[in-house]
Every structure is written in C-alpha cells, then in structure tokens.
Amino acid sequence: MYSAEQRLKTLLVAGLAGNASDYRLFLSELTRHLRGYLRKRIPQLHDDVEDLVQEILLAVHNARHTYRPDEPLTAWVHAIARYKLMDFFRTRARRESLHEPLDEHDDIFAECDDEPADARRDVGKLLGHLPDKQRLSILHVKLQGLSVAEAAQLTGLSESAVKVSIHRGLKALAAHVRRIA
C-alpha cells in the first residue's frame, strides 16, 4: 500500500512525463490534502480555504518544472503552501488594518507626547553654552553616533582633542545642569 507521499509523487512524476490523466489525478488528490492542511491552520477563516487551495494549486502547477523527483514531494509542496499561507496572512492583515474605524478609538487624541521634541530642544540649548570645539565633538560622537575618527575629520581636530573635548564638554554640561536645577 502506497503512502500519500508515494502516491502523489508517482502521479506527479508521471504527469511531468506527459501523462495528463495522472497529472489531473495528482492535482485532484493534492486538493484534498491541501484542504485538510489549511482547515487545521485557519479554522476560523473557513470561507478563505477554497481560494487559498486554488492559489496553492496554481503555484504548484506554475512551479512544477522546479520539482526534482529525487527529493521528497511533501517538502516541496509544503514550502509552496506555507509561502502562500504567509502571503495570505500578510495581505489579510494589511487589508484589515485599512478598515479599522477611527471613531472606535476615542482615546487616540487623549494624550500627547512632546517629550522627544522637548528633549531635543533642551539639549540644543544646553549645547549652546559650550565652546564650538566641545559642542561639535559631543554633537558628532554622542548624538549623531559618529566615531571619534569621523568627528576628528569633520572638525579638523585630532582624535585625542575630540576625546578631551567630549570629556570637558560633558563635565561642563553637568556643572551647568547642577547650577540651574
């Protein structure tokens, strides 16, 4: 007695060799297996199963030339089915997110978060109290994430001077914050 894998593989290989009736039988039997596979994975979306089965069958048909008879059929079909299922989920999520009504979210305008903008403004004011060498060194390395070498190249300072400027600038900023706090 053949397993489903062996039977489907035999039918597909015969179909690829030109036997049209075996190929139709392969697609017919594969349909039943795909339907079961999908109903287990998306039981709450029963209406979409048939559409998805048809998409997978079409993908199998279009990719039939890529199947290698020395490889397991199950893995090949599963890869195609899984890809189509993930594509279905992505499309569905995208479509559903577009239909989420705004009026059901009264709390969307309840809070405002200006903190990042306020923090950037405050840091900018604080840096304004520093000499250019310190301000630019801190700006490039600590805020923009450049390396010390890159900051040295931009400012025309040596790498050691950039490091010293950062250290002295941060120390001056800490002292200034303590004075105003």
Side-chain angles (χ1 to χ4, degrees):
M1 178 130 218
Y2 278 151
S3 69
E5 163 84 21
Q6 292 169 325
R7 174 147 173 76
L8 287 170
K9 185 174 184 175
T10 301
L11 291 171
L12 175 60
V13 170
L16 293 175
N19 187 328
S21 64
D22 279 353
Y23 188 67
R24 275 193 300 278
L25 191 53
F26 162 74
L27 291 175
S28 177
E29 289 191 22
L30 181 59
T31 298
R32 291 183 12 248
H33 289 282
L34 289 173
R35 203 174 280 129
Y37 170 82
L38 293 170
R39 283 190 178 144
K40 279 196 312 190
R41 279 154 185 78
I42 55 171
Q44 69 281 11
L45 303 173
H46 190 69
D47 295 341
D48 295 309
V49 168
E50 287 306 313
D51 290 340
L52 202 46
V53 165
Q54 293 305 312
E55 281 188 43
I56 295 169
L57 287 174
L58 185 60
V60 164
H61 176 73
N62 288 336
R64 69 189 181 280
H65 67 280
T66 66
Y67 176 68
R68 295 187 310 232
D70 57 325
E71 297 290 324
L73 176 66
T74 307
W76 182 74
V77 171
H78 184 263
I80 294 171
R82 197 176 76 219
Y83 173 79
K84 286 297 182 182
L85 187 58
M86 291 303 109
D87 193 38
F88 167 77
F89 285 136
R90 276 192 298 274
T91 302
R92 184 175 171 84
R94 218 175 299 126
R95 188 176 56 235
E96 286 179 358
S97 71
L98 293 175
H99 298 293
E100 191 171 311
L102 185 61
D103 56 346
E104 288 182 15
H105 300 285
D106 296 331
D107 60 337
I108 194 167
F109 300 116
E111 293 182 35
C112 184
D113 186 4
D114 291 330
E115 194 171 312
D118 292 343
R120 267 193 299 281
R121 185 191 66 238
D122 294 344
V123 167
K125 283 182 185 177
L126 286 172
L127 288 175
H129 294 286
L130 297 175
D132 285 347
K133 191 163 65 167
Q134 292 174 359
R135 181 177 48 77
L136 290 174
S137 295
I138 291 172
L139 178 71
H140 292 314
V141 175
K142 298 297 184 181
L143 298 178
Q144 294 175 343
L146 300 178
S147 68
V148 171
E150 292 169 325
Q153 190 175 10
L154 281 173
T155 59
L157 301 170
S158 69
E159 290 182 31
S160 296
V162 169
K163 290 177 186 177
V164 169
S165 294
I166 291 170
H167 176 73
R168 288 181 181 164
L170 291 175
K171 192 173 178 180
L173 285 175
H176 180 75
V177 169
R178 278 193 298 272
R179 278 195 307 271
I180 61 174

mmCIF file of all heavy atoms in Angstrom, residues 100-119:
data_model
loop_
_atom_site.group_PDB
_atom_site.id
_atom_site.type_symbol
_atom_site.label_atom_id
_atom_site.label_comp_id
_atom_site.label_asym_id
_atom_site.label_seq_id
_atom_site.Cartn_x
_atom_site.Cartn_y
_atom_site.Cartn_z
ATOM 1 N N GLU A 100 -9.967 49.554 9.865
ATOM 2 C CA GLU A 100 -10.187 49.760 11.294
ATOM 3 C C GLU A 100 -10.732 51.175 11.484
ATOM 4 O O GLU A 100 -10.054 52.159 11.200
ATOM 5 C CB GLU A 100 -8.862 49.612 12.046
ATOM 6 C CG GLU A 100 -9.045 49.546 13.525
ATOM 7 C CD GLU A 100 -7.738 49.184 14.204
ATOM 8 O OE1 GLU A 100 -7.080 48.227 13.790
ATOM 9 O OE2 GLU A 100 -7.401 49.914 15.149
ATOM 10 N N PRO A 101 -11.982 51.305 11.922
ATOM 11 C CA PRO A 101 -12.593 52.637 12.019
ATOM 12 C C PRO A 101 -11.934 53.489 13.109
ATOM 13 O O PRO A 101 -11.665 53.007 14.201
ATOM 14 C CB PRO A 101 -14.056 52.346 12.366
ATOM 15 C CG PRO A 101 -14.095 50.948 12.840
ATOM 16 C CD PRO A 101 -12.886 50.247 12.323
ATOM 17 N N LEU A 102 -11.681 54.733 12.757
ATOM 18 C CA LEU A 102 -11.036 55.659 13.677
ATOM 19 C C LEU A 102 -11.959 56.057 14.822
ATOM 20 O O LEU A 102 -11.507 56.245 15.939
ATOM 21 C CB LEU A 102 -10.585 56.915 12.916
ATOM 22 C CG LEU A 102 -9.784 57.940 13.692
ATOM 23 C CD1 LEU A 102 -8.499 57.314 14.196
ATOM 24 C CD2 LEU A 102 -9.479 59.137 12.821
ATOM 25 N N ASP A 103 -13.250 56.150 14.560
ATOM 26 C CA ASP A 103 -14.170 56.626 15.593
ATOM 27 C C ASP A 103 -14.343 55.641 16.750
ATOM 28 O O ASP A 103 -14.887 56.002 17.781
ATOM 29 C CB ASP A 103 -15.531 56.996 15.009
ATOM 30 C CG ASP A 103 -16.172 55.853 14.237
ATOM 31 O OD1 ASP A 103 -15.473 54.872 13.926
ATOM 32 O OD2 ASP A 103 -17.371 55.971 13.931
ATOM 33 N N GLU A 104 -13.847 54.417 16.625
ATOM 34 C CA GLU A 104 -13.914 53.484 17.739
ATOM 35 C C GLU A 104 -12.777 53.706 18.731
ATOM 36 O O GLU A 104 -12.682 53.038 19.740
ATOM 37 C CB GLU A 104 -13.871 52.039 17.231
ATOM 38 C CG GLU A 104 -15.144 51.617 16.547
ATOM 39 C CD GLU A 104 -15.088 50.179 16.107
ATOM 40 O OE1 GLU A 104 -14.203 49.436 16.566
ATOM 41 O OE2 GLU A 104 -15.943 49.798 15.307
ATOM 42 N N HIS A 105 -11.909 54.628 18.418
ATOM 43 C CA HIS A 105 -10.744 54.878 19.264
ATOM 44 C C HIS A 105 -10.784 56.315 19.776
ATOM 45 O O HIS A 105 -9.989 57.147 19.364
ATOM 46 C CB HIS A 105 -9.458 54.614 18.486
ATOM 47 C CG HIS A 105 -9.372 53.205 18.006
ATOM 48 N ND1 HIS A 105 -9.093 52.156 18.830
ATOM 49 C CD2 HIS A 105 -9.550 52.668 16.779
ATOM 50 C CE1 HIS A 105 -9.089 51.036 18.140
ATOM 51 N NE2 HIS A 105 -9.372 51.323 16.887
ATOM 52 N N ASP A 106 -11.712 56.575 20.668
ATOM 53 C CA ASP A 106 -11.858 57.922 21.205
ATOM 54 C C ASP A 106 -10.609 58.380 21.940
ATOM 55 O O ASP A 106 -10.329 59.564 22.029
ATOM 56 C CB ASP A 106 -13.060 57.987 22.160
ATOM 57 C CG ASP A 106 -14.361 57.706 21.429
ATOM 58 O OD1 ASP A 106 -14.436 58.002 20.216
ATOM 59 O OD2 ASP A 106 -15.285 57.191 22.078
ATOM 60 N N ASP A 107 -9.852 57.418 22.465
ATOM 61 C CA ASP A 107 -8.691 57.777 23.268
ATOM 62 C C ASP A 107 -7.459 58.101 22.430
ATOM 63 O O ASP A 107 -6.411 58.418 22.974
ATOM 64 C CB ASP A 107 -8.355 56.642 24.242
ATOM 65 C CG ASP A 107 -8.039 55.343 23.542
ATOM 66 O OD1 ASP A 107 -8.478 55.156 22.389
ATOM 67 O OD2 ASP A 107 -7.339 54.518 24.149
ATOM 68 N N ILE A 108 -7.556 58.088 21.113
ATOM 69 C CA ILE A 108 -6.382 58.324 20.283
ATOM 70 C C ILE A 108 -5.820 59.732 20.493
ATOM 71 O O ILE A 108 -4.623 59.941 20.407
ATOM 72 C CB ILE A 108 -6.687 58.061 18.797
ATOM 73 C CG1 ILE A 108 -5.383 57.964 18.003
ATOM 74 C CG2 ILE A 108 -7.574 59.129 18.212
ATOM 75 C CD1 ILE A 108 -5.559 57.415 16.613
ATOM 76 N N PHE A 109 -6.665 60.692 20.796
ATOM 77 C CA PHE A 109 -6.204 62.055 20.994
ATOM 78 C C PHE A 109 -6.147 62.436 22.473
ATOM 79 O O PHE A 109 -5.985 63.595 22.811
ATOM 80 C CB PHE A 109 -7.106 63.039 20.234
ATOM 81 C CG PHE A 109 -7.114 62.786 18.762
ATOM 82 C CD1 PHE A 109 -8.261 62.410 18.107
ATOM 83 C CD2 PHE A 109 -5.946 62.913 18.016
ATOM 84 C CE1 PHE A 109 -8.275 62.168 16.758
ATOM 85 C CE2 PHE A 109 -5.943 62.672 16.660
ATOM 86 C CZ PHE A 109 -7.113 62.299 16.020
ATOM 87 N N ALA A 110 -6.264 61.475 23.348
ATOM 88 C CA ALA A 110 -6.310 61.756 24.782
ATOM 89 C C ALA A 110 -4.963 62.197 25.336
ATOM 90 O O ALA A 110 -4.902 63.000 26.250
ATOM 91 C CB ALA A 110 -6.807 60.532 25.548
ATOM 92 N N GLU A 111 -3.880 61.669 24.798
ATOM 93 C CA GLU A 111 -2.561 62.009 25.325
ATOM 94 C C GLU A 111 -1.671 62.510 24.207
ATOM 95 O O GLU A 111 -1.769 62.075 23.075
ATOM 96 C CB GLU A 111 -1.922 60.775 25.971
ATOM 97 C CG GLU A 111 -2.647 60.320 27.208
ATOM 98 C CD GLU A 111 -1.953 59.135 27.839
ATOM 99 O OE1 GLU A 111 -0.714 59.074 27.787
ATOM 100 O OE2 GLU A 111 -2.660 58.279 28.369
ATOM 101 N N CYS A 112 -0.775 63.398 24.573
ATOM 102 C CA CYS A 112 0.172 63.950 23.619
ATOM 103 C C CYS A 112 1.571 63.732 24.172
ATOM 104 O O CYS A 112 1.804 63.939 25.366
ATOM 105 C CB CYS A 112 -0.112 65.438 23.430
ATOM 106 S SG CYS A 112 0.927 66.194 22.196
ATOM 107 N N ASP A 113 2.484 63.311 23.339
ATOM 108 C CA ASP A 113 3.840 63.058 23.804
ATOM 109 C C ASP A 113 4.807 63.973 23.067
ATOM 110 O O ASP A 113 5.268 63.668 21.974
ATOM 111 C CB ASP A 113 4.213 61.588 23.573
ATOM 112 C CG ASP A 113 5.565 61.240 24.174
ATOM 113 O OD1 ASP A 113 6.164 62.106 24.833
ATOM 114 O OD2 ASP A 113 6.012 60.101 23.977
ATOM 115 N N ASP A 114 5.091 65.103 23.663
ATOM 116 C CA ASP A 114 6.036 66.058 23.094
ATOM 117 C C ASP A 114 7.428 65.878 23.676
ATOM 118 O O ASP A 114 8.329 66.643 23.377
ATOM 119 C CB ASP A 114 5.573 67.501 23.360
ATOM 120 C CG ASP A 114 4.321 67.842 22.581
ATOM 121 O OD1 ASP A 114 4.141 67.282 21.495
ATOM 122 O OD2 ASP A 114 3.527 68.663 23.079
ATOM 123 N N GLU A 115 7.597 64.876 24.526
ATOM 124 C CA GLU A 115 8.856 64.701 25.246
ATOM 125 C C GLU A 115 10.082 64.619 24.338
ATOM 126 O O GLU A 115 11.071 65.299 24.599
ATOM 127 C CB GLU A 115 8.767 63.462 26.137
ATOM 128 C CG GLU A 115 9.869 63.394 27.157
ATOM 129 C CD GLU A 115 9.629 62.282 28.158
ATOM 130 O OE1 GLU A 115 8.515 62.172 28.684
ATOM 131 O OE2 GLU A 115 10.587 61.536 28.374
ATOM 132 N N PRO A 116 10.081 63.820 23.253
ATOM 133 C CA PRO A 116 11.282 63.791 22.410
ATOM 134 C C PRO A 116 11.630 65.158 21.825
ATOM 135 O O PRO A 116 12.791 65.546 21.795
ATOM 136 C CB PRO A 116 10.927 62.791 21.313
ATOM 137 C CG PRO A 116 9.890 61.912 21.932
ATOM 138 C CD PRO A 116 9.117 62.823 22.852
ATOM 139 N N ALA A 117 10.620 65.893 21.373
ATOM 140 C CA ALA A 117 10.876 67.220 20.809
ATOM 141 C C ALA A 117 11.383 68.172 21.883
ATOM 142 O O ALA A 117 12.306 68.965 21.646
ATOM 143 C CB ALA A 117 9.611 67.771 20.168
ATOM 144 N N ASP A 118 10.789 68.082 23.084
ATOM 145 C CA ASP A 118 11.240 68.929 24.187
ATOM 146 C C ASP A 118 12.674 68.602 24.574
ATOM 147 O O ASP A 118 13.488 69.493 24.828
ATOM 148 C CB ASP A 118 10.333 68.762 25.407
ATOM 149 C CG ASP A 118 8.926 69.311 25.180
ATOM 150 O OD1 ASP A 118 8.747 70.101 24.222
ATOM 151 O OD2 ASP A 118 8.023 68.950 25.964
ATOM 152 N N ALA A 119 13.002 67.320 24.605
ATOM 153 C CA ALA A 119 14.351 66.897 24.981
ATOM 154 C C ALA A 119 15.369 67.396 23.960
ATOM 155 O O ALA A 119 16.442 67.888 24.329
ATOM 156 C CB ALA A 119 14.425 65.384 25.105
#
